[in-house]
Each structure stands twice: as structure tokens, then as C-alpha cells.
Amino acid sequence: MKMSKLHTVVVAAAVSISLQAVAQSTRDTIQIAGSSSVLPFSSVAAEEFGNNFAQFKTPVVGSGGSSGGLRQFCQGVGTNTIDIANSSRPMRPGEVEACKANGVNSIIEVKIGYDGIVFASRIDAGDFALKPEHVFLAQAAQVPQNGKMVANPYTNWRQIDASLPDQNILLAIPGSNHGTREVYEEKVVVPGCQELPEVKAMSKDDQGKFCVAMRTDGRVVEIAGDYTETLARLQAQRDAIGVFGLTFYENNRDRIKVATVSGVVPTVDTVLSGQYPVARPLFFYVKGAHIGVIPGLQEFAEFFVADATSGFGSPLEAVGLIPLSDDEREQILQQIRSKQSL
Amino acid sequence: MTVAETEKKPLPAPSKVQQKVQQSLARRQRQEKLFRGVGISAVACSLLLVALLFINIFSKGLPAFWQATITLDIYFDPAIVKIPEQPVQGAEESDNDFRERDLAWRSAVGMVNYNRLIQAGLEKVIPDALQHRRDLARIVTSGERFALRDLVIADPTLVGQTKTLHLLTDANIDVWLKGNIDRSLPDAQQQLSAKVREWVDQLAAEGVIQNRFSFALFMNPDSRSSLASAGLAGAFMGSLYMMLVVILLAVPMGVAAAIYLEEFAPKNKLTDLVEVNINNLAAVPSIVFGLLGAAVFIGWFNLPMSAPVVGGLVLSLMTLPTVIIATRSTLKAIPPSIRQAALGLGASKMQAIFHHVLPLAIPGILTGAIIGVAQALGETAPLLLIGMKSFVASVPAGPFEQSTALPVQIYLWQGNELRNFFEARTSAAIIVLLALMLSLNALAIWLRKKYEKRW
């Protein structure tokens, strides 16, 4: 019995060592994770990369939201950490610090293009012409009334503005794990809030807190999953208005219709020209220490930004990415080539 | 009492006991009837739910096994397909040099614009094609250009020939022809332009576009740039590698542990504790194993992320208690007389168990193992935490390569933006997974029936 026990221990040790040896030496696939808004573009770029470069493997693209991806990215350097984090917002200074604390010193920021965020309702619901302040008044915890702050009394869009449809207020917004949420607050809620004279009188700090405070009576629902979950919410409740990516809306025009924001219809053209206010740049971050270790990492970054991949008439434009301008593209390619770190 | 006797004599007055029985008889019969009714309705309810599930999945998923496919004569025009000669390994050339030359050749073949071949093929069947070039590019799904490339790589003599090929159409064309989008919607809400819709209806009427069995669904890995060619091959291989790891790890370990615990281990507090903990392990929610896998296998052992080997290890942990419990209960059910007879004839304990008990226990052990594996096959939650919900556009060549698994693929497709196409595709993937599970369960039943012995 003693012998066989010893045996087992030895075998187990040998197995774990050999597993480690195999693992250390074998990663030749680029590993990407992060924003689910960037995921469709990143996946198509990965697929095209694999199809165009016979010598490299097709990169693997995971999701998990911008924050989740960046957290994974900052876990450290080594083959058991990811090489690229997708993000639908720029990296925060705190995240850069967290990265550096774990030894991730070289972080190359790559902007890939733009994406619009739309408010959409079910095809059989009312037509919305939203303004930022409408959205703020619909989602705020407290609103000013007769010079005083009161708990949000609005239950119907018509109470907010007579031009809006007679429909119950129900907003499905992305959860805080999504980069989209930050853009939604930054580009819609906060500007809408700051238009109110009562808010203008507040100090900057108070404004920040007051504007993003959300009502908790169930009229605003945070969706932690992806846009399909938001769509399911709309299908269940006719009155709901969801926040989607422009691409998702374009793919499901038979089921949902968009609201205009400040009178502008969201389309690729209005986002590109800057007329449509709720747009944001999309990014990915490359771990500089992995360039040269993981085969094809630099080539992939350059391929992604190349005009043929993400410019006008490219496969990425076809799936809804709004391309960079030529100057921006040139500058970003330079950043990748010179491995310019944050 | 016989019948003749009852006729002759009047019945004696019923005793008190009989009276009591008579009185309660109606009530007891009523209770039984009630219970039967409850039982039948319980069975009917569960059958109804199963039927609902199946009808829902099959009605959505079955059509997805057939996909809109266009039949085109593709001329591999030498003016477009300009490729260097395929390298042949020289007698003195090293393998490495040859591989490099071959790679360069493959890259050159990949540079060809195969879309032009497809467009030329389309122009033959669509009269007014040239006036609407942009619309023309939307008919065949974009991934088919790589299918053409692979054809040329497999057989370079194809250049200069014409070949009749069945090419997948764009996902939105499939949606349009199957009526998965409301055909009466105005242009602004349609995915296809009016021109493409007109062409497609015309081509479908002529039989150029037909619903053909979708081999892509089984032969291709997942795809996002060419949605119509997204398939299950990558996920299937990933699941297969995981199941291999589970079978190689969990089954021998579980059976060995069960035999030791049941037959050799002394009965004391320690073994009681072990037993309780094995049962506890069986009750641990599967997502916990995922967290463990991420921390231990990826964090400490440095195993690759999204690799079937890690998935297999995690699922082995999950399957282990199932196998142990099933094996132990099978061993318990084997009559002690078998062991005693063997021991009585002078066999050692080891011989008694391995020569006499184990062969009789095999059907039970196999059943337990197969059910454990089937459970592992359908498990999703732990895989999400070890990076297996990534988008992987290639078929893994080994258990250390990145891949997804069948249930995770269902989850990924469920989240795809093009709902009209992927709702059906998702249900089709569910049908494939269910078919696999049911055949595994059928195998378990067959094995049990085949080797079963009754005492």
C-alpha cells in the first residue's frame, strides 16, 4: 500500500509539472477580452487576421465588459494573462496605476473607430424625440420642482414633456460593468441635468453626485448582460426604452426603432459628422511586454487599424464600425510601431 | 366459500370488524382514486412541459439545418487567379525550408480576390447585375471566398476550369427566404435592399437559390464576419477534448476511490468524514468549480486560458463524486455471497474483488460514468469563468488549444446581434447538443440492459 501511495504522489507531481511545461511553451494564440461593444469588431478583425496570415493562429476574443477586460489585462505579465483588452472607454488613471502595480508597464492604446449609442423602443411603441434633459428627468432620483428637490414624481413621459408619447417611463440601461454606461451618463444624463437652472446653481462636486443618482423605484433597469437581454426586456414590456449600440439596432431594425436625440437621427453619417451627440471612440490596449513573445501580436494591432481592415468599405465598416479619419489612423499606426506606452 | 354455498345459505350478519371495513371501504377507495388522479396529472404535466420544450426548440431549430444556398458556375479565371507554381519539396531541401516556401505560396494564393470570381458567376444568373455592383456583393456570404481559396490550395489545376459550386448566401437572405423577417415591412426596416430582395425572390423561383442541407453548421467553426457560415465544429471538438479529459481522469479516479472506500477502507470516523465530504462535493454548485479552476489551474499551474484541458479538469472535479457515488452503490448491490464464495475458495481479497465483484459491477459503473459525462457535456457555468466563452474562429487541433464548448456556443449565439438568423441557429445547436446527450443516455441504458444480471 505504501509503495502505491508513493507512486500516486509521484505520478501526480509528474503530471502537474509536465502540464506546466506544456503550458509555458505553447501559447501561440493571441488572447483578447473586454468590452462587448468592441467584441463584434474585434472578432471580425481576428477572423480576417487568421484568414490573411497563414503563419499566425486566429486570435481568441472574449467578452466581460470594459472594466472586466481591463482588470484581467492588469493582472500581470505572462502567458496566463491576456494580451489585449478591448474597451469602449479610455482607460482610467486608477486602472493604469493598478496595471503598473502588477508589473504591466507598457500599455499601448489603440483607437479603432467610433460607435453610436441609441435609444430604441419597440416597433409598436411611440415615437420618441428625446432631449438629454428628458432622459435625466426620467432616470433621476430627485428632480427640482418649484425650487425644491423632490423625489422623482414622473411616471409617464408626457409628464416630462408634452411632445413625448403617452407612455409609462421604463428605461433599460447598461449595467455599470459596461463602458457604454459611462458614455450614456457622460453624454446624455449629465448634460441633460446641467441644463436645469437649479443644478447650475450647485457646486461642481454636488452636480456630479446629483446628476447620476438614479431612481430606485424599478423604472430604471440596469442590464448586466448584452444587448440581447435589453431586447428581451423590450419584447416583454412594450413601454420599455432600451439603450443599444448603433450596430445592434441596425441588425434588428424590424423589431426596434430609434429615438432621435436633440433632433438628430442616429446613423453612421450623423455620428461621423459629430451631429449625433451620443457617440464614443472604441479602443483596445496592447500589453507591450507580450510583443515578441506572443507571435503576431504587433502584426494584429497594425492589421486591425489598417485602412483595408477598418477604413471605409472595409469588413469592419460593413459590420457597423465608424472609421477613423486618415490622420488619426496614421497617428495611431505610428503609436503602435513606436510602442508608445500610456 | 364457493358460489354454490352462498346461494344456499343467507349471509351471516356482518361482524363489527367487517362493518368497520365496509364503512371505510368507500373512503379508502376514494383516496386511492384521488391519489391516482394526482399521479396521472403530475405525469401529464411533466410530459406537457417536455413536449412544449421540444416543440418550441424543434419548430425553431429544424429549419436551420437547411440553409439558402446558391448554385453558381465559377470560372477560375487565370487572369484573376494568378498564382505561382506550387512548391514541391526538393531532394536536398530541409523540411523547414520547404515549409517556409509552402507558407509563402499559400499566402500568395490567399492574396487573390476571389470575390471577383463569385461576382462573375453571379453575373451569369442575374441579368442586370452590373448596374448594381454594391447589391451584388451582398448575395454570397463573405466567408465563401475562403472556401474558393481552399479549393485552389487543395487542387491548383483548378485554375482555368469551371466548377459548379453550392455557395451559402448571406445570412439575411436566408432570413428573408424563410420568412423570419416580416416581408411586408417597409424598406427602412428591411436588412436587404429592394434590389437584392427582388433578385433573391427571382433566383429562388428559378431554383438557383435552394434550401440545401447545411454542412456549414457541422463542418465550420464559429464565424462573425460571415454569419451564414458559422458552425459548430470548433465547439464540438472542444467538447470532445473536454470529455476525453473527463473520461481519462474522473472515471478511473472515481472508480478506484469507490472500490477502495467500499471494499478496503476500514469503517471509522475518518472514512465517514470522507463519505460525507464526497456527498458534499456532489452538492457544490458547478460555478464554484469554475472559480477554483480559474484560480488553481490557470493562476498557479499556468495552464492556457480557454483551453479544453482546463475545462476538462474542472469538469472532472465536478463529475468525480457522481462516478464515486454510482460505483459505490453498484458495489453495495452485489450480494456478499459472491465475495464470500471467492474468499472461501482461497482467493485473496484483491482477487475476489477484481475477478468476481468488479465484472458484475461493470454495467452499473458504466452507467454512472456515462451519466456523469453526459452531465459534464451540458455544463456551462464553470466554463464561463475559465475563458471558454470566447469567440474562437478555428477548430482546435488539441486539448491545449483555445476553443469553446457546445453549451457555451449556444450561449454565444444566443447573444449574437443578428437575432433573426441566430434565433434559429441557436435552437439548431440546442438540438445537436440534446441529440448528443440523448444518445449518451441511450448508450448507458443499452449497456445496463446488455450486461445486467438479476439475483
Side-chain angles (χ1 to χ4, degrees), chain A residues 65-92:
Chain A
S66 300
S67 305
L70 286 168
R71 206 178 312 119
Q72 248 185 303
F73 182 78
C74 291
Q75 269 169 359
V77 171
T79 48
N80 61 341
T81 59
I82 59 171
D83 312 307
I84 291 179
N86 289 332
S87 179
S88 56
R89 57 169 173 78
M91 213 165 161
R92 299 183 186 125

PDB file of all heavy atoms in Angstrom, chain A residues 65-92:
ATOM      1  N   GLY A  65     -17.079  42.859 -20.570  1.00  0.00           N
ATOM      2  CA  GLY A  65     -17.242  44.282 -20.280  1.00  0.00           C
ATOM      3  C   GLY A  65     -15.892  44.976 -20.235  1.00  0.00           C
ATOM      4  O   GLY A  65     -14.861  44.339 -20.000  1.00  0.00           O
ATOM      5  N   SER A  66     -15.913  46.307 -20.455  1.00  0.00           N
ATOM      6  CA  SER A  66     -14.660  47.061 -20.490  1.00  0.00           C
ATOM      7  C   SER A  66     -13.911  46.926 -19.177  1.00  0.00           C
ATOM      8  O   SER A  66     -12.707  46.654 -19.161  1.00  0.00           O
ATOM      9  CB  SER A  66     -14.956  48.531 -20.760  1.00  0.00           C
ATOM     10  OG  SER A  66     -15.601  48.678 -21.990  1.00  0.00           O
ATOM     11  N   SER A  67     -14.606  47.125 -18.063  1.00  0.00           N
ATOM     12  CA  SER A  67     -13.928  47.087 -16.764  1.00  0.00           C
ATOM     13  C   SER A  67     -13.371  45.702 -16.491  1.00  0.00           C
ATOM     14  O   SER A  67     -12.242  45.558 -16.019  1.00  0.00           O
ATOM     15  CB  SER A  67     -14.893  47.469 -15.646  1.00  0.00           C
ATOM     16  OG  SER A  67     -15.465  48.710 -15.920  1.00  0.00           O
ATOM     17  N   GLY A  68     -14.174  44.675 -16.788  1.00  0.00           N
ATOM     18  CA  GLY A  68     -13.729  43.303 -16.555  1.00  0.00           C
ATOM     19  C   GLY A  68     -12.495  42.981 -17.371  1.00  0.00           C
ATOM     20  O   GLY A  68     -11.546  42.376 -16.871  1.00  0.00           O
ATOM     21  N   GLY A  69     -12.498  43.398 -18.632  1.00  0.00           N
ATOM     22  CA  GLY A  69     -11.373  43.120 -19.504  1.00  0.00           C
ATOM     23  C   GLY A  69     -10.106  43.810 -19.022  1.00  0.00           C
ATOM     24  O   GLY A  69      -9.029  43.211 -18.984  1.00  0.00           O
ATOM     25  N   LEU A  70     -10.246  45.086 -18.617  1.00  0.00           N
ATOM     26  CA  LEU A  70      -9.066  45.825 -18.168  1.00  0.00           C
ATOM     27  C   LEU A  70      -8.534  45.247 -16.859  1.00  0.00           C
ATOM     28  O   LEU A  70      -7.329  45.217 -16.632  1.00  0.00           O
ATOM     29  CB  LEU A  70      -9.404  47.309 -18.011  1.00  0.00           C
ATOM     30  CG  LEU A  70      -9.536  48.040 -19.349  1.00  0.00           C
ATOM     31  CD1 LEU A  70     -10.151  49.407 -19.170  1.00  0.00           C
ATOM     32  CD2 LEU A  70      -8.180  48.166 -20.028  1.00  0.00           C
ATOM     33  N   ARG A  71      -9.441  44.753 -16.017  1.00  0.00           N
ATOM     34  CA  ARG A  71      -8.990  44.145 -14.762  1.00  0.00           C
ATOM     35  C   ARG A  71      -8.151  42.905 -15.073  1.00  0.00           C
ATOM     36  O   ARG A  71      -7.080  42.695 -14.510  1.00  0.00           O
ATOM     37  CB  ARG A  71     -10.186  43.781 -13.877  1.00  0.00           C
ATOM     38  CG  ARG A  71      -9.828  43.760 -12.406  1.00  0.00           C
ATOM     39  CD  ARG A  71     -11.021  43.437 -11.519  1.00  0.00           C
ATOM     40  NE  ARG A  71     -12.197  44.220 -11.832  1.00  0.00           N
ATOM     41  CZ  ARG A  71     -13.353  43.694 -12.227  1.00  0.00           C
ATOM     42  NH1 ARG A  71     -13.483  42.393 -12.343  1.00  0.00           N
ATOM     43  NH2 ARG A  71     -14.383  44.461 -12.494  1.00  0.00           N
ATOM     44  N   GLN A  72      -8.655  42.087 -16.016  1.00  0.00           N
ATOM     45  CA  GLN A  72      -7.919  40.886 -16.411  1.00  0.00           C
ATOM     46  C   GLN A  72      -6.565  41.269 -17.016  1.00  0.00           C
ATOM     47  O   GLN A  72      -5.562  40.629 -16.768  1.00  0.00           O
ATOM     48  CB  GLN A  72      -8.725  40.144 -17.470  1.00  0.00           C
ATOM     49  CG  GLN A  72      -9.282  38.810 -17.026  1.00  0.00           C
ATOM     50  CD  GLN A  72      -9.941  38.127 -18.199  1.00  0.00           C
ATOM     51  OE1 GLN A  72     -10.850  38.666 -18.820  1.00  0.00           O
ATOM     52  NE2 GLN A  72      -9.488  36.944 -18.515  1.00  0.00           N
ATOM     53  N   PHE A  73      -6.610  42.326 -17.821  1.00  0.00           N
ATOM     54  CA  PHE A  73      -5.409  42.804 -18.521  1.00  0.00           C
ATOM     55  C   PHE A  73      -4.334  43.190 -17.509  1.00  0.00           C
ATOM     56  O   PHE A  73      -3.150  42.949 -17.712  1.00  0.00           O
ATOM     57  CB  PHE A  73      -5.812  44.005 -19.380  1.00  0.00           C
ATOM     58  CG  PHE A  73      -4.710  44.604 -20.202  1.00  0.00           C
ATOM     59  CD1 PHE A  73      -4.305  43.994 -21.374  1.00  0.00           C
ATOM     60  CD2 PHE A  73      -4.100  45.785 -19.820  1.00  0.00           C
ATOM     61  CE1 PHE A  73      -3.305  44.558 -22.151  1.00  0.00           C
ATOM     62  CE2 PHE A  73      -3.098  46.352 -20.596  1.00  0.00           C
ATOM     63  CZ  PHE A  73      -2.699  45.732 -21.764  1.00  0.00           C
ATOM     64  N   CYS A  74      -4.767  43.797 -16.404  1.00  0.00           N
ATOM     65  CA  CYS A  74      -3.824  44.328 -15.437  1.00  0.00           C
ATOM     66  C   CYS A  74      -3.380  43.298 -14.404  1.00  0.00           C
ATOM     67  O   CYS A  74      -2.730  43.640 -13.431  1.00  0.00           O
ATOM     68  CB  CYS A  74      -4.422  45.545 -14.729  1.00  0.00           C
ATOM     69  SG  CYS A  74      -4.584  46.943 -15.834  1.00  0.00           S
ATOM     70  N   GLN A  75      -3.765  42.032 -14.604  1.00  0.00           N
ATOM     71  CA  GLN A  75      -3.383  41.022 -13.612  1.00  0.00           C
ATOM     72  C   GLN A  75      -1.883  40.759 -13.613  1.00  0.00           C
ATOM     73  O   GLN A  75      -1.343  40.270 -12.634  1.00  0.00           O
ATOM     74  CB  GLN A  75      -4.131  39.712 -13.875  1.00  0.00           C
ATOM     75  CG  GLN A  75      -5.437  39.637 -13.108  1.00  0.00           C
ATOM     76  CD  GLN A  75      -6.295  38.494 -13.566  1.00  0.00           C
ATOM     77  OE1 GLN A  75      -5.928  37.748 -14.480  1.00  0.00           O
ATOM     78  NE2 GLN A  75      -7.438  38.322 -12.944  1.00  0.00           N
ATOM     79  N   GLY A  76      -1.214  41.054 -14.684  1.00  0.00           N
ATOM     80  CA  GLY A  76       0.225  40.839 -14.711  1.00  0.00           C
ATOM     81  C   GLY A  76       0.722  40.506 -16.095  1.00  0.00           C
ATOM     82  O   GLY A  76      -0.030  40.563 -17.061  1.00  0.00           O
ATOM     83  N   VAL A  77       2.009  40.180 -16.166  1.00  0.00           N
ATOM     84  CA  VAL A  77       2.631  39.821 -17.434  1.00  0.00           C
ATOM     85  C   VAL A  77       2.889  38.322 -17.410  1.00  0.00           C
ATOM     86  O   VAL A  77       3.239  37.773 -16.381  1.00  0.00           O
ATOM     87  CB  VAL A  77       3.959  40.599 -17.611  1.00  0.00           C
ATOM     88  CG1 VAL A  77       4.730  40.083 -18.814  1.00  0.00           C
ATOM     89  CG2 VAL A  77       3.678  42.082 -17.754  1.00  0.00           C
ATOM     90  N   GLY A  78       2.674  37.665 -18.526  1.00  0.00           N
ATOM     91  CA  GLY A  78       2.917  36.224 -18.584  1.00  0.00           C
ATOM     92  C   GLY A  78       1.887  35.559 -19.466  1.00  0.00           C
ATOM     93  O   GLY A  78       0.837  36.143 -19.742  1.00  0.00           O
ATOM     94  N   THR A  79       2.183  34.333 -19.898  1.00  0.00           N
ATOM     95  CA  THR A  79       1.305  33.707 -20.882  1.00  0.00           C
ATOM     96  C   THR A  79      -0.070  33.357 -20.318  1.00  0.00           C
ATOM     97  O   THR A  79      -0.978  33.062 -21.073  1.00  0.00           O
ATOM     98  CB  THR A  79       1.946  32.436 -21.454  1.00  0.00           C
ATOM     99  OG1 THR A  79       2.419  31.662 -20.364  1.00  0.00           O
ATOM    100  CG2 THR A  79       3.064  32.757 -22.402  1.00  0.00           C
ATOM    101  N   ASN A  80      -0.218  33.349 -19.003  1.00  0.00           N
ATOM    102  CA  ASN A  80      -1.559  33.060 -18.480  1.00  0.00           C
ATOM    103  C   ASN A  80      -2.379  34.322 -18.254  1.00  0.00           C
ATOM    104  O   ASN A  80      -3.403  34.304 -17.595  1.00  0.00           O
ATOM    105  CB  ASN A  80      -1.480  32.232 -17.189  1.00  0.00           C
ATOM    106  CG  ASN A  80      -0.741  32.960 -16.098  1.00  0.00           C
ATOM    107  OD1 ASN A  80       0.003  33.889 -16.366  1.00  0.00           O
ATOM    108  ND2 ASN A  80      -0.971  32.561 -14.864  1.00  0.00           N
ATOM    109  N   THR A  81      -1.921  35.451 -18.797  1.00  0.00           N
ATOM    110  CA  THR A  81      -2.725  36.677 -18.772  1.00  0.00           C
ATOM    111  C   THR A  81      -3.024  37.075 -20.215  1.00  0.00           C
ATOM    112  O   THR A  81      -2.329  36.650 -21.140  1.00  0.00           O
ATOM    113  CB  THR A  81      -1.966  37.825 -18.071  1.00  0.00           C
ATOM    114  OG1 THR A  81      -0.742  38.050 -18.778  1.00  0.00           O
ATOM    115  CG2 THR A  81      -1.658  37.493 -16.637  1.00  0.00           C
ATOM    116  N   ILE A  82      -4.062  37.898 -20.383  1.00  0.00           N
ATOM    117  CA  ILE A  82      -4.461  38.252 -21.747  1.00  0.00           C
ATOM    118  C   ILE A  82      -3.495  39.274 -22.362  1.00  0.00           C
ATOM    119  O   ILE A  82      -2.769  39.956 -21.645  1.00  0.00           O
ATOM    120  CB  ILE A  82      -5.905  38.790 -21.792  1.00  0.00           C
ATOM    121  CG1 ILE A  82      -6.059  40.029 -20.913  1.00  0.00           C
ATOM    122  CG2 ILE A  82      -6.874  37.720 -21.380  1.00  0.00           C
ATOM    123  CD1 ILE A  82      -7.379  40.724 -21.073  1.00  0.00           C
ATOM    124  N   ASP A  83      -3.494  39.340 -23.684  1.00  0.00           N
ATOM    125  CA  ASP A  83      -2.568  40.223 -24.390  1.00  0.00           C
ATOM    126  C   ASP A  83      -3.209  41.559 -24.740  1.00  0.00           C
ATOM    127  O   ASP A  83      -2.536  42.573 -24.841  1.00  0.00           O
ATOM    128  CB  ASP A  83      -2.106  39.567 -25.691  1.00  0.00           C
ATOM    129  CG  ASP A  83      -1.657  38.142 -25.460  1.00  0.00           C
ATOM    130  OD1 ASP A  83      -0.820  37.948 -24.580  1.00  0.00           O
ATOM    131  OD2 ASP A  83      -2.171  37.246 -26.144  1.00  0.00           O
ATOM    132  N   ILE A  84      -4.532  41.518 -24.986  1.00  0.00           N
ATOM    133  CA  ILE A  84      -5.221  42.721 -25.445  1.00  0.00           C
ATOM    134  C   ILE A  84      -6.518  42.861 -24.657  1.00  0.00           C
ATOM    135  O   ILE A  84      -7.237  41.887 -24.448  1.00  0.00           O
ATOM    136  CB  ILE A  84      -5.534  42.624 -26.954  1.00  0.00           C
ATOM    137  CG1 ILE A  84      -4.246  42.690 -27.784  1.00  0.00           C
ATOM    138  CG2 ILE A  84      -6.496  43.732 -27.385  1.00  0.00           C
ATOM    139  CD1 ILE A  84      -4.452  42.580 -29.277  1.00  0.00           C
ATOM    140  N   ALA A  85      -6.800  44.088 -24.198  1.00  0.00           N
ATOM    141  CA  ALA A  85      -8.086  44.359 -23.554  1.00  0.00           C
ATOM    142  C   ALA A  85      -8.884  45.292 -24.454  1.00  0.00           C
ATOM    143  O   ALA A  85      -8.374  46.337 -24.865  1.00  0.00           O
ATOM    144  CB  ALA A  85      -7.869  44.990 -22.190  1.00  0.00           C
ATOM    145  N   ASN A  86     -10.102  44.913 -24.783  1.00  0.00           N
ATOM    146  CA  ASN A  86     -10.992  45.784 -25.545  1.00  0.00           C
ATOM    147  C   ASN A  86     -11.715  46.705 -24.580  1.00  0.00           C
ATOM    148  O   ASN A  86     -12.124  46.278 -23.505  1.00  0.00           O
ATOM    149  CB  ASN A  86     -12.036  44.963 -26.296  1.00  0.00           C
ATOM    150  CG  ASN A  86     -11.428  44.190 -27.441  1.00  0.00           C
ATOM    151  OD1 ASN A  86     -10.425  44.606 -28.008  1.00  0.00           O
ATOM    152  ND2 ASN A  86     -12.035  43.072 -27.780  1.00  0.00           N
ATOM    153  N   SER A  87     -11.914  47.941 -24.978  1.00  0.00           N
ATOM    154  CA  SER A  87     -12.604  48.851 -24.078  1.00  0.00           C
ATOM    155  C   SER A  87     -13.403  49.866 -24.878  1.00  0.00           C
ATOM    156  O   SER A  87     -12.948  50.365 -25.896  1.00  0.00           O
ATOM    157  CB  SER A  87     -11.580  49.572 -23.192  1.00  0.00           C
ATOM    158  OG  SER A  87     -12.262  50.467 -22.359  1.00  0.00           O
ATOM    159  N   SER A  88     -14.602  50.156 -24.399  1.00  0.00           N
ATOM    160  CA  SER A  88     -15.405  51.152 -25.093  1.00  0.00           C
ATOM    161  C   SER A  88     -15.287  52.504 -24.411  1.00  0.00           C
ATOM    162  O   SER A  88     -16.104  53.381 -24.602  1.00  0.00           O
ATOM    163  CB  SER A  88     -16.867  50.699 -25.154  1.00  0.00           C
ATOM    164  OG  SER A  88     -17.349  50.441 -23.866  1.00  0.00           O
ATOM    165  N   ARG A  89     -14.284  52.657 -23.590  1.00  0.00           N
ATOM    166  CA  ARG A  89     -13.980  53.954 -22.968  1.00  0.00           C
ATOM    167  C   ARG A  89     -12.470  53.992 -22.746  1.00  0.00           C
ATOM    168  O   ARG A  89     -11.822  52.958 -22.691  1.00  0.00           O
ATOM    169  CB  ARG A  89     -14.705  54.087 -21.629  1.00  0.00           C
ATOM    170  CG  ARG A  89     -14.350  52.967 -20.665  1.00  0.00           C
ATOM    171  CD  ARG A  89     -14.855  53.263 -19.273  1.00  0.00           C
ATOM    172  NE  ARG A  89     -14.668  52.123 -18.376  1.00  0.00           N
ATOM    173  CZ  ARG A  89     -13.525  51.799 -17.817  1.00  0.00           C
ATOM    174  NH1 ARG A  89     -12.428  52.481 -18.075  1.00  0.00           N
ATOM    175  NH2 ARG A  89     -13.434  50.755 -17.003  1.00  0.00           N
ATOM    176  N   PRO A  90     -11.885  55.209 -22.620  1.00  0.00           N
ATOM    177  CA  PRO A  90     -10.453  55.267 -22.355  1.00  0.00           C
ATOM    178  C   PRO A  90     -10.140  54.692 -20.980  1.00  0.00           C
ATOM    179  O   PRO A  90     -10.996  54.705 -20.087  1.00  0.00           O
ATOM    180  CB  PRO A  90     -10.133  56.764 -22.396  1.00  0.00           C
ATOM    181  CG  PRO A  90     -11.362  57.461 -22.824  1.00  0.00           C
ATOM    182  CD  PRO A  90     -12.504  56.540 -22.740  1.00  0.00           C
ATOM    183  N   MET A  91      -8.930  54.181 -20.825  1.00  0.00           N
ATOM    184  CA  MET A  91      -8.518  53.613 -19.547  1.00  0.00           C
ATOM    185  C   MET A  91      -8.451  54.732 -18.506  1.00  0.00           C
ATOM    186  O   MET A  91      -8.004  55.834 -18.798  1.00  0.00           O
ATOM    187  CB  MET A  91      -7.130  53.013 -19.741  1.00  0.00           C
ATOM    188  CG  MET A  91      -6.859  51.812 -18.931  1.00  0.00           C
ATOM    189  SD  MET A  91      -5.389  51.010 -19.614  1.00  0.00           S
ATOM    190  CE  MET A  91      -4.929  50.014 -18.238  1.00  0.00           C
ATOM    191  N   ARG A  92      -8.893  54.429 -17.273  1.00  0.00           N
ATOM    192  CA  ARG A  92      -8.835  55.461 -16.223  1.00  0.00           C
ATOM    193  C   ARG A  92      -7.448  55.483 -15.594  1.00  0.00           C
ATOM    194  O   ARG A  92      -6.768  54.452 -15.566  1.00  0.00           O
ATOM    195  CB  ARG A  92      -9.863  55.135 -15.133  1.00  0.00           C
ATOM    196  CG  ARG A  92     -11.282  55.107 -15.642  1.00  0.00           C
ATOM    197  CD  ARG A  92     -12.248  54.854 -14.486  1.00  0.00           C
ATOM    198  NE  ARG A  92     -13.589  54.692 -15.007  1.00  0.00           N
ATOM    199  CZ  ARG A  92     -14.363  53.636 -14.764  1.00  0.00           C
ATOM    200  NH1 ARG A  92     -13.917  52.646 -14.012  1.00  0.00           N
ATOM    201  NH2 ARG A  92     -15.575  53.555 -15.269  1.00  0.00           N
TER     202      ARG A  92
END
